[in-house]
Amino acid sequence: MFNFTTRPEITGNFGVVTSTHWIASAVGMSILEKGGNAFDAAVATGFTLQVVEPHLNGPGGEVSIIFSKNNQPPKVICGQGVAPQKATIDYYKNLGLNVVPGSGLLAAVVPGAFDAWMLLLLNHGSMKLSEVLEPAISISQKGYPLVPNIINTIKSVKDLFLVDWKSSAEIYLPNGKLPNVGDFFSNRKMGETYQKIINASSFSSNREKQIEKAREIWKSGFVAESIHNFCKNNHFIDTSDRKHKGLLDGDDLANWQAHEEKPRSFKYKNYEVFKTDVWGQGPSFLQQLAILDNFDLSKFNEDASEFVHIVTEATKLAFADREAFYGDPNFVNVPIDHLLSREYNVERAKLINQKASLEVRPGHIEGFGGPVIVRKKGETEESNSKYDIGEPTVAKFDDLSTNSDGQTSGDTTHFDIIDQWGNMVAATPSGGWLQSSPIIPELGFCLSNRAQMFWLDDKSPASLAPKKRPRTTLSPSFAFKNEKPYMVFGTPGGDQQDQWSLHFFLRHVHFGLNLQEAIDAPGFSTFHFPNSFFPRETDIGSLFMENRFSQNTIKDLRRRGHNVTVEADWSLGRMTAASINNNCLLYTSPSPRDQRGSRMPSSA
């Protein structure tokens, strides 16, 4: 039984902020200390993460936000931008492409993060735009210390930057050289872009008018103009090993905006968990709960082979349904009520036995869904691309040495905040990372490559279509306990977000582990379903486990037929979480994993 923790659970009564970077956590806490609420702190934290974790997110990316205002029912802000209006399956097919490239301008969608942050600040914040942007601008100008994973990311795309993405090289390879760990690094152009937006928005002293003006500038002002011209007038190498221009234009930005909506939810024991709608993978977390509700997990230990086996098999079933049914509900009729129903998942649970499934098994619902496209790992032509940046979900690097294989992955960020008034917010910003596409020189940032999540098959619910949202992996979580707001939580990790978050939640609920203990427990995950990222491969029967599991547990899972890969001790999952109890005491815990990549204790 697991009983080791890396640090005590942090407790307070004023406010808590936990994020994937210590500077961002400090910025969020400073906003609370200045009298701002959780939503002000969230916006400031989000913009700071763009600066200090450029290999994980950026201004040209997207964000999913879930929040509750002072004990009210939670809401979601969708900051997932849509495909360009010129983006059709035929256009990509005529270029000889079978999948959307994993990098470059063809993978760009409307950048949604900025408008999502503005909407949160406008409707629920209390501070002015300049107040929440000032920390990010200051850090971008004065610099911040580079952690090893940023260096490794730059190193992995160094040749591409020098050969073709020269605007990126100008920022991330000063004088053509790789920066060093610990160097103070600045992106002044990014800070200048945000300062320019503030200056143009300061025509009025009214905060609401300032924020609306900033939204207008992003959608149809100099930002939109720079993005339009950059995509129209340039061709760059992407993962197809060929040069392509972008399809994104000014009209795409002008015709899109972030919006608030109701979340999806599922009641499990004395909890209710809230997630995004089916334009994201969030409901797959809920369906896993619906399947697992048919098992008595409490009779196991949190590291028992039976626990890992049952949860992994439930994941395979829920994610197979994700592939068969999920897509932008503005385009696809998704039977989500049926997919989350008790009756449907009783039948799904019956498929779980003592052996590991080696098939991708979506359910059948008459009149709904589409094909599940299985491209077996290692058998796809695209996976051998010279400029394949790797799957952007888990950052795995060699040490900084001449032996590095030049492969990299992107990742994502996450944070959770609760303030003294009980406002709660969880957000997962991502996209627009430095390796996704070339830097736009006038702006100092690049565009998202989220379009790689579309299938070029019109029968798939996640197929490409103009103005359609890619089915994003970004998946923050919110939980009620005994019908009251209780916890916000989440993790970076692409397809693994709704696995690692689930494992944390189950260990907290069933085994009584506190937030830190549940985060520190050994991680595991599977890719036994079509990957959301280029080159869209499926790793049948895979089960990745941290080496901190006992050898008996690993041996038993192999006996059951799982294709187990043993990973390093602290390598899977980057959970953060924050909760509030009936006495208004606040609790938070950060991830101890990947300290090289800047994961540090949160503030409280």
Side-chain angles (χ1 to χ4, degrees):
M1 186 171 179
F2 181 80
N3 57 11
F4 170 77
T5 58
T6 57
R7 64 200 61 153
E9 184 180 55
I10 300 170
T11 306
N13 57 15
F14 173 74
V16 289
V17 179
T18 178
S19 83
T20 51
H21 198 288
W22 79 92
I23 293 177
S25 294
V27 166
M29 202 66 206
S30 74
I31 295 294
L32 296 182
E33 290 166 348
K34 292 175 183 177
N37 63 25
F39 311 117
D40 299 312
V43 177
T45 301
F47 281 117
T48 300
L49 286 170
Q50 293 174 1
V51 177
V52 299
E53 294 195 317
H55 58 314
L56 307 180
N57 77 136
E62 47 270 329
V63 64
S64 294
I65 306 169
I66 189 165
F67 67 96
S68 171
K69 192 170 185 177
N70 193 19
N71 294 318
Q72 295 177 13
K75 292 183 179 180
V76 166
I77 291 181
C78 175
Q80 177 55 66
V82 299
Q85 56 191 342
K86 297 175 184 176
T88 64
I89 291 176
D90 285 345
Y91 183 91
Y92 287 78
K93 291 284 191 179
N94 289 337
L95 295 174
L97 298 172
N98 294 316
V99 294
V100 177
S103 66
L105 297 182
L106 270 183
V109 297
V110 173
F114 183 85
D115 200 61
W117 293 130
M118 292 300 97
L119 186 62
L120 182 66
L121 183 66
L122 176 69
N123 290 346
H124 307 288
S126 63
M127 301 179 81
K128 292 184 176 181
L129 177 63
S130 59
E131 294 177 293
V132 297
L133 266 175
E134 189 279 329
I137 293 172
S138 177
I139 295 165
S140 71
Q141 302 296 305
K142 297 178 182 178
Y144 59 93
L146 291 175
V147 295
N149 278 351
I150 297 179
I151 305 297
N152 277 305
T153 302
I154 300 170
K155 182 178 181 180
S156 67
V157 287
K158 178 180 178 182
D159 291 344
L160 177 60
F161 282 12
L162 293 175
V163 169
D164 194 59
W165 295 14
K166 295 184 179 180
S167 57
S168 297
E170 289 179 5
I171 289 180
Y172 292 106
L173 293 168
N175 301 316
K177 295 182 179 179
L178 191 71
N180 297 308
V181 174
D183 283 357
F184 258 66
F185 183 83
S186 61
N187 183 345
R188 292 183 175 85
K189 183 58 67 175
M190 183 193 295
E192 290 170 5
T193 294
Y194 281 140
Q195 187 62 58
K196 192 174 178 180
I197 292 174
I198 290 174
N199 294 342
S201 304
S202 60
F203 68 97
S204 170
S205 59
N206 181 277
R207 66 177 293 274
E208 289 79 14
K209 290 182 178 180
Q210 290 180 354
I211 296 167
E212 289 288 14
K213 182 63 176 179
R215 298 177 76 187
E216 178 186 330
I217 292 168
W218 187 274
K219 292 174 59 175
S220 56
F222 78 91
V223 174
E225 182 180 357
S226 293
I227 292 173
H228 174 95
N229 292 333
F230 189 74
C231 290
K232 178 181 178 181
N233 299 325
N234 293 281
H235 293 71
F236 292 102
I237 293 173
D238 55 39
T239 53
S240 70
D241 294 338
R242 288 179 285 150
K243 290 191 175 186
H244 295 109
K245 69 176 183 178
L247 299 178
L248 194 64
D249 64 26
D251 286 342
D252 294 316
L253 274 76
N255 294 323
W256 181 89
Q257 63 181 11
H259 68 276
E260 289 186 12
E261 63 184 36
K262 292 182 179 179
R264 293 286 175 178
S265 70
F266 183 83
K267 292 184 178 180
Y268 184 80
K269 312 305 179 187
N270 58 328
Y271 294 82
E272 185 173 9
V273 180
F274 299 84
K275 303 289 287 188
T276 69
D277 204 353
V278 289
W279 50 264
Q281 73 173 10
S284 65
F285 182 110
L286 307 179
Q287 190 181 353
Q288 290 174 90
L289 289 180
I291 295 170
L292 293 170
D293 209 17
N294 296 283
F295 298 89
D296 182 11
L297 298 182
S298 297
K299 68 181 181 180
F300 305 121
N301 293 331
E302 64 272 12
D303 58 351
S305 62
E306 296 91 344
F307 172 73
V308 175
H309 170 73
I310 292 171
V311 171
T312 299
E313 293 303 299
T315 297
K316 293 176 181 180
L317 294 170
F319 275 70
D321 281 349
R322 181 196 74 169
E323 289 304 311
F325 298 104
Y326 288 21
D328 185 343
N330 293 335
F331 289 76
V332 181
N333 191 5
V334 181
I336 188 60
D337 290 336
H338 188 85
L339 289 169
L340 297 182
S341 68
R342 305 283 180 178
E343 297 77 15
Y344 177 75
N345 288 292
V346 165
E347 297 304 312
R348 296 295 274 159
K350 290 178 181 178
L351 296 175
I352 299 176
N353 55 37
Q354 294 300 310
K355 291 292 185 180
S357 169
L358 299 180
E359 297 177 281
V360 179
R361 299 180 291 178
H364 176 74
I365 303 176
E366 189 68 35
F368 295 93
V372 174
I373 304 167
V374 176
R375 296 157 54 90
K376 291 187 178 180
K377 185 174 176 64
E379 296 181 2
T380 57
E381 180 180 338
E382 293 85 358
S383 62
N384 296 316
S385 165
K386 177 182 178 183
Y387 292 109
D388 183 356
I389 61 168
E391 172 221 331
T393 56
V394 185
K396 292 183 179 180
F397 298 106
D398 293 333
D399 290 333
L400 286 174
S401 69
T402 56
N403 295 324
S404 174
D405 62 7
Q407 295 293 308
T408 184
S409 302
D411 205 333
T412 300
T413 65
H414 182 83
F415 66 79
D416 306 296
I417 300 174
I418 306 176
D419 66 24
Q420 59 183 313
W421 301 286
N423 298 310
M424 304 172 67
V425 58
T428 310
S430 188
W433 41 64
L434 67 88
Q435 64 275 31
S436 63
S437 65
I439 291 288
I440 302 171
E442 301 93 338
L443 302 178
F445 63 80
C446 55
L447 297 170
S448 170
N449 54 354
R450 191 67 55 174
Q452 67 183 292
M453 294 181 165
F454 287 117
W455 287 107
L456 299 181
D457 182 333
D458 58 10
K459 295 181 178 62
S460 169
S463 62
L464 174 68
K467 299 185 180 181
K468 185 177 183 180
R469 285 172 287 186
R471 190 211 62 219
T472 184
T473 52
L474 305 182
S475 193
S477 304
F478 197 111
F480 274 31
K481 182 179 181 181
N482 298 325
E483 300 183 348
K484 294 182 179 180
Y486 172 64
M487 182 165 63
V488 281
F489 58 104
T491 176
D495 291 316
Q496 296 158 307
Q497 288 180 35
D498 284 308
Q499 297 182 62
W500 293 334
S501 292
L502 175 75
H503 307 161
F504 157 82
F505 178 78
L506 293 173
R507 284 161 161 165
H508 181 60
V509 170
H510 284 283
F511 309 126
L513 303 187
N514 68 29
L515 303 190
Q516 192 66 58
E517 291 168 338
I519 286 173
D520 288 358
F524 63 98
S525 55
T526 180
F527 283 105
H528 180 93
F529 44 80
N531 198 303
S532 293
F533 293 90
F534 179 92
R536 310 305 305 273
E537 295 176 322
T538 303
D539 193 358
I540 297 293
S542 61
L543 178 57
F544 297 85
M545 304 177 65
E546 288 184 350
N547 194 44
R548 292 183 297 128
F549 279 100
S550 72
Q551 290 303 305
N552 287 337
T553 294
I554 294 171
K555 182 179 179 180
D556 186 62
L557 288 163
R558 283 177 170 153
R559 181 188 62 80
R560 293 171 184 264
H562 294 280
N563 181 17
V564 176
T565 300
V566 178
E567 300 284 0
D569 283 359
W570 296 93
S571 59
L572 300 181
R574 295 175 181 84
M575 286 297 308
T576 64
S579 67
I580 183 171
N581 70 10
N582 292 332
N583 297 318
C584 295
L585 285 176
L586 307 175
Y587 302 86
T588 188
S589 295
S591 174
R593 293 170 171 86
D594 192 20
Q595 296 293 339
R596 294 187 308 162
S598 79
R599 274 67 187 180
M600 298 293 285
S602 33
S603 305

